[in-house]
Amino acid sequence: MIPRVTALYVYPLKGAKGIAVDELTFDARGALGDRRWMLVDPASVAITQRDVPRLTLLGQSFVTSDRNGALRLAMDRSGALEVAVPTHDEVRDVRVWDDTVAAHDVGDEAARWCRDALRVECRLVRLAPQARRPLQQRFAGSLSAHGRETTLSDGAPLLLLGAQSVALLNEKLAARGVEPMSMMRFRPNIFVSTVVAHDEDHWCDVRIGTVTIAIGTPCKRCVVTTVDLRSAEKGIEPLRTLATYRQDGNAVMFGMNASHALSNVTSAVLRIGDEVIVKTRQ
């Protein structure tokens, strides 16, 4: 059976709820609309679910169809906030992992709303067009990372995950008396049907729609996967179970980091239902 795309997601605001979409289009950095906004703490360091699990309850939606305009945020009991793309020239340096990147601050009103919704001091920022955050080669697979830039993701432009990998995990969770977990715990961009669990670990280059995608390193999973999507409470699963069969050194691996080719980036598109043509394996 040829794998097919069964679900697609983008995450405009890093760490907030994903948005299900019917197709992905691209620019040089990654999927359009994906992780261009971020919350930072008073030290200008990225805020994620690792430290603020309530982010998983923060809903988001696009105001414009091109996914490049205003963003609408929503949280129960806090109402909604619509934020426009900043037009001022002033930038500030913010930290995301080991990188310092230029971003535009969205303003005091947005900061107050986000602070009240998340119960933590924070500022909302958007990646500046002139920002430079180099793509690391380990995320680029067979493609060259030279001169490539990425967004405010944890590093890779894309995260690909196979359905049978999630199914196997849920079988193992069930054997421990744990309820099955949604694949959204792992925040994929591209979710594909597969026959064999973790077959995606062995893919090198795939073609989906008009997009060539190179598979990079396995994704190291962290405590974000243990955050309950409904309550925002942290637990011990699925990391406890994954550690029994997906551990590599001190890390647990699940899903694959990936990057897209730039040869036809302005016209590249992949859609739900597209076949995943595995061109090369390792």
Side-chain angles (χ1 to χ4, degrees):
M1 184 183 79
I2 297 176
R4 289 183 180 272
V5 176
T6 58
L8 296 167
Y9 293 90
V10 290
Y11 308 84
L13 173 60
K14 182 179 179 67
K17 286 183 181 181
I19 300 175
V21 295
D22 294 330
E23 64 180 34
L24 292 184
T25 53
F26 298 85
D27 63 10
R29 295 181 187 270
L32 285 176
D34 194 44
R35 281 166 280 215
R36 311 301 169 105
W37 306 75
M38 185 169 73
L39 290 165
V40 296
D41 66 15
S44 296
V45 175
I47 290 174
T48 74
Q49 289 185 35
R50 297 167 183 82
D51 301 308
V52 184
R54 277 182 62 80
L55 260 174
T56 199
L57 306 178
L58 185 59
Q60 53 184 330
S61 58
F62 295 111
V63 176
T64 60
S65 60
D66 64 2
R67 305 178 191 170
N68 200 35
L71 187 66
R72 185 177 186 271
L73 303 176
M75 176 79 87
D76 288 347
R77 299 182 183 178
S78 294
L81 171 74
E82 187 172 306
V83 288
V85 175
T87 57
H88 57 80
D89 294 330
E90 184 179 352
V91 297
R92 59 182 295 183
D93 286 341
V94 297
R95 293 284 295 175
V96 51
W97 293 107
D98 294 328
D99 298 318
T100 299
V101 297
H104 293 297
D105 192 294
V106 181
D108 292 341
E109 179 184 355
R112 284 191 294 270
W113 189 92
C114 292
R115 178 198 63 201
D116 293 343
L118 296 174
R119 304 169 189 169
V120 63
E121 288 295 330
C122 58
R123 304 286 300 185
L124 178 63
V125 300
R126 193 177 194 275
L127 186 69
Q130 67 270 35
R132 294 292 175 260
R133 188 183 183 210
L135 175 65
Q136 297 181 32
Q137 186 59 55
R138 72 178 185 270
F139 299 133
S142 63
L143 300 172
S144 172
H146 180 71
R148 294 283 301 268
E149 303 287 336
T150 190
T151 64
L152 298 169
S153 71
D154 279 358
L158 299 167
L159 192 287
L160 183 146
L161 181 61
Q164 282 304 310
S165 303
V166 178
L168 176 60
L169 169 62
N170 281 328
E171 288 178 13
K172 292 180 179 292
L173 290 173
R176 290 173 174 261
V178 180
E179 292 186 358
M181 293 191 174
S182 165
M183 52 89 170
M184 291 305 294
R185 289 274 188 130
F186 305 99
R187 303 178 67 79
N189 294 107
I190 306 170
F191 191 59
V192 302
S193 62
T194 46
V195 176
V196 178
H198 302 291
D199 191 33
E200 63 269 23
D201 291 10
H202 308 289
W203 300 349
C204 291
D205 297 280
V206 301
R207 182 82 173 177
I208 309 176
T210 62
V211 189
T212 295
I213 293 176
I215 307 300
T217 52
C219 185
K220 296 180 181 179
R221 309 318 304 217
C222 67
V223 294
V224 167
T225 62
T226 71
V227 177
D228 187 284
L229 301 180
R230 294 166 295 184
S231 68
E233 294 180 358
K234 285 183 182 178
I236 59 174
E237 296 288 7
L239 289 182
R240 180 183 65 170
T241 296
L242 285 173
T244 66
Y245 72 107
R246 293 293 297 175
Q247 188 146 356
D248 182 2
N250 294 323
V252 167
M253 306 297 191
F254 200 75
M256 299 300 291
N257 295 308
S259 187
H260 59 300
L262 298 184
S263 56
N264 64 336
V265 68
T266 57
S267 60
V269 60
L270 64 86
R271 299 181 173 89
I272 291 177
D274 281 348
E275 292 183 344
V276 180
I277 306 300
V278 181
K279 298 166 66 178
T280 58
R281 288 176 173 266
Q282 61 177 358

PDB file of all heavy atoms in Angstrom, residues 13 27 31 42 46 141 165 167 183 192 198 232 250 264:
ATOM      1  N   LEU A  13       1.379  30.216  16.036  1.00  0.00           N
ATOM      2  CA  LEU A  13       2.004  30.625  17.291  1.00  0.00           C
ATOM      3  C   LEU A  13       2.669  29.410  17.919  1.00  0.00           C
ATOM      4  O   LEU A  13       1.997  28.420  18.245  1.00  0.00           O
ATOM      5  CB  LEU A  13       0.967  31.212  18.252  1.00  0.00           C
ATOM      6  CG  LEU A  13       1.454  31.540  19.664  1.00  0.00           C
ATOM      7  CD1 LEU A  13       2.578  32.571  19.633  1.00  0.00           C
ATOM      8  CD2 LEU A  13       0.310  32.036  20.537  1.00  0.00           C
ATOM      9  N   ASP A  27       7.172  28.740   1.606  1.00  0.00           N
ATOM     10  CA  ASP A  27       8.152  29.727   1.191  1.00  0.00           C
ATOM     11  C   ASP A  27       9.515  29.131   1.533  1.00  0.00           C
ATOM     12  O   ASP A  27       9.624  27.938   1.860  1.00  0.00           O
ATOM     13  CB  ASP A  27       7.906  31.091   1.833  1.00  0.00           C
ATOM     14  CG  ASP A  27       8.031  31.081   3.353  1.00  0.00           C
ATOM     15  OD1 ASP A  27       8.505  30.063   3.923  1.00  0.00           O
ATOM     16  OD2 ASP A  27       7.651  32.079   3.982  1.00  0.00           O
ATOM     17  N   ALA A  31       6.554  25.766   5.812  1.00  0.00           N
ATOM     18  CA  ALA A  31       5.146  25.850   5.437  1.00  0.00           C
ATOM     19  C   ALA A  31       4.618  27.243   5.754  1.00  0.00           C
ATOM     20  O   ALA A  31       4.869  27.779   6.838  1.00  0.00           O
ATOM     21  CB  ALA A  31       4.338  24.792   6.184  1.00  0.00           C
ATOM     22  N   PRO A  42      10.184  37.688  30.090  1.00  0.00           N
ATOM     23  CA  PRO A  42      10.819  39.002  30.281  1.00  0.00           C
ATOM     24  C   PRO A  42      12.276  39.058  29.853  1.00  0.00           C
ATOM     25  O   PRO A  42      12.815  40.143  29.626  1.00  0.00           O
ATOM     26  CB  PRO A  42      10.663  39.239  31.786  1.00  0.00           C
ATOM     27  CG  PRO A  42       9.407  38.507  32.141  1.00  0.00           C
ATOM     28  CD  PRO A  42       9.457  37.259  31.318  1.00  0.00           C
ATOM     29  N   ALA A  46      12.115  32.274  24.310  1.00  0.00           N
ATOM     30  CA  ALA A  46      10.892  31.609  23.860  1.00  0.00           C
ATOM     31  C   ALA A  46      10.181  30.893  24.997  1.00  0.00           C
ATOM     32  O   ALA A  46      10.802  30.213  25.824  1.00  0.00           O
ATOM     33  CB  ALA A  46      11.224  30.611  22.751  1.00  0.00           C
ATOM     34  N   GLY A 141      18.401  16.684   5.899  1.00  0.00           N
ATOM     35  CA  GLY A 141      18.530  15.396   5.236  1.00  0.00           C
ATOM     36  C   GLY A 141      19.504  15.449   4.076  1.00  0.00           C
ATOM     37  O   GLY A 141      20.624  15.952   4.203  1.00  0.00           O
ATOM     38  N   SER A 165       2.929   4.203  13.510  1.00  0.00           N
ATOM     39  CA  SER A 165       3.797   4.481  14.662  1.00  0.00           C
ATOM     40  C   SER A 165       2.952   4.867  15.872  1.00  0.00           C
ATOM     41  O   SER A 165       3.211   4.431  16.999  1.00  0.00           O
ATOM     42  CB  SER A 165       4.786   5.604  14.321  1.00  0.00           C
ATOM     43  OG  SER A 165       5.552   5.271  13.188  1.00  0.00           O
ATOM     44  N   ALA A 167      -0.242   4.041  16.172  1.00  0.00           N
ATOM     45  CA  ALA A 167      -1.035   2.858  16.507  1.00  0.00           C
ATOM     46  C   ALA A 167      -0.252   1.896  17.394  1.00  0.00           C
ATOM     47  O   ALA A 167      -0.802   1.338  18.360  1.00  0.00           O
ATOM     48  CB  ALA A 167      -1.489   2.161  15.222  1.00  0.00           C
ATOM     49  N   MET A 183      -2.440  11.695  17.962  1.00  0.00           N
ATOM     50  CA  MET A 183      -1.176  12.046  17.319  1.00  0.00           C
ATOM     51  C   MET A 183      -0.848  13.519  17.509  1.00  0.00           C
ATOM     52  O   MET A 183       0.298  13.944  17.325  1.00  0.00           O
ATOM     53  CB  MET A 183      -1.202  11.680  15.833  1.00  0.00           C
ATOM     54  CG  MET A 183      -2.369  12.204  15.055  1.00  0.00           C
ATOM     55  SD  MET A 183      -2.120  13.835  14.351  1.00  0.00           S
ATOM     56  CE  MET A 183      -3.558  13.950  13.269  1.00  0.00           C
ATOM     57  N   VAL A 192       0.814  10.711   7.891  1.00  0.00           N
ATOM     58  CA  VAL A 192       0.632   9.846   6.724  1.00  0.00           C
ATOM     59  C   VAL A 192       0.209   8.450   7.144  1.00  0.00           C
ATOM     60  O   VAL A 192       0.567   7.958   8.222  1.00  0.00           O
ATOM     61  CB  VAL A 192       1.921   9.774   5.886  1.00  0.00           C
ATOM     62  CG1 VAL A 192       2.342  11.169   5.422  1.00  0.00           C
ATOM     63  CG2 VAL A 192       3.060   9.124   6.641  1.00  0.00           C
ATOM     64  N   HIS A 198       6.871   2.986  12.203  1.00  0.00           N
ATOM     65  CA  HIS A 198       8.168   3.624  12.099  1.00  0.00           C
ATOM     66  C   HIS A 198       8.871   3.358  10.768  1.00  0.00           C
ATOM     67  O   HIS A 198      10.095   3.483  10.667  1.00  0.00           O
ATOM     68  CB  HIS A 198       9.073   3.247  13.288  1.00  0.00           C
ATOM     69  CG  HIS A 198       8.460   3.624  14.603  1.00  0.00           C
ATOM     70  ND1 HIS A 198       8.311   4.940  14.991  1.00  0.00           N
ATOM     71  CD2 HIS A 198       7.915   2.859  15.591  1.00  0.00           C
ATOM     72  CE1 HIS A 198       7.715   4.958  16.178  1.00  0.00           C
ATOM     73  NE2 HIS A 198       7.458   3.731  16.551  1.00  0.00           N
ATOM     74  N   ALA A 232      -4.307  20.423  30.179  1.00  0.00           N
ATOM     75  CA  ALA A 232      -2.987  21.059  30.233  1.00  0.00           C
ATOM     76  C   ALA A 232      -2.144  20.547  31.402  1.00  0.00           C
ATOM     77  O   ALA A 232      -1.137  21.148  31.747  1.00  0.00           O
ATOM     78  CB  ALA A 232      -3.088  22.577  30.284  1.00  0.00           C
ATOM     79  N   ASN A 250      20.142   8.995  25.705  1.00  0.00           N
ATOM     80  CA  ASN A 250      19.295   9.619  26.725  1.00  0.00           C
ATOM     81  C   ASN A 250      18.019  10.201  26.141  1.00  0.00           C
ATOM     82  O   ASN A 250      17.256  10.854  26.859  1.00  0.00           O
ATOM     83  CB  ASN A 250      20.076  10.730  27.440  1.00  0.00           C
ATOM     84  CG  ASN A 250      21.233  10.179  28.253  1.00  0.00           C
ATOM     85  OD1 ASN A 250      21.128   9.108  28.848  1.00  0.00           O
ATOM     86  ND2 ASN A 250      22.342  10.910  28.274  1.00  0.00           N
ATOM     87  N   ASN A 264      11.062  24.499  -6.602  1.00  0.00           N
ATOM     88  CA  ASN A 264       9.814  25.111  -7.092  1.00  0.00           C
ATOM     89  C   ASN A 264       8.978  25.618  -5.933  1.00  0.00           C
ATOM     90  O   ASN A 264       7.756  25.460  -5.913  1.00  0.00           O
ATOM     91  CB  ASN A 264       9.010  24.098  -7.923  1.00  0.00           C
ATOM     92  CG  ASN A 264       8.548  22.906  -7.089  1.00  0.00           C
ATOM     93  OD1 ASN A 264       9.164  22.597  -6.066  1.00  0.00           O
ATOM     94  ND2 ASN A 264       7.487  22.240  -7.518  1.00  0.00           N
TER      95      ASN A 264
END
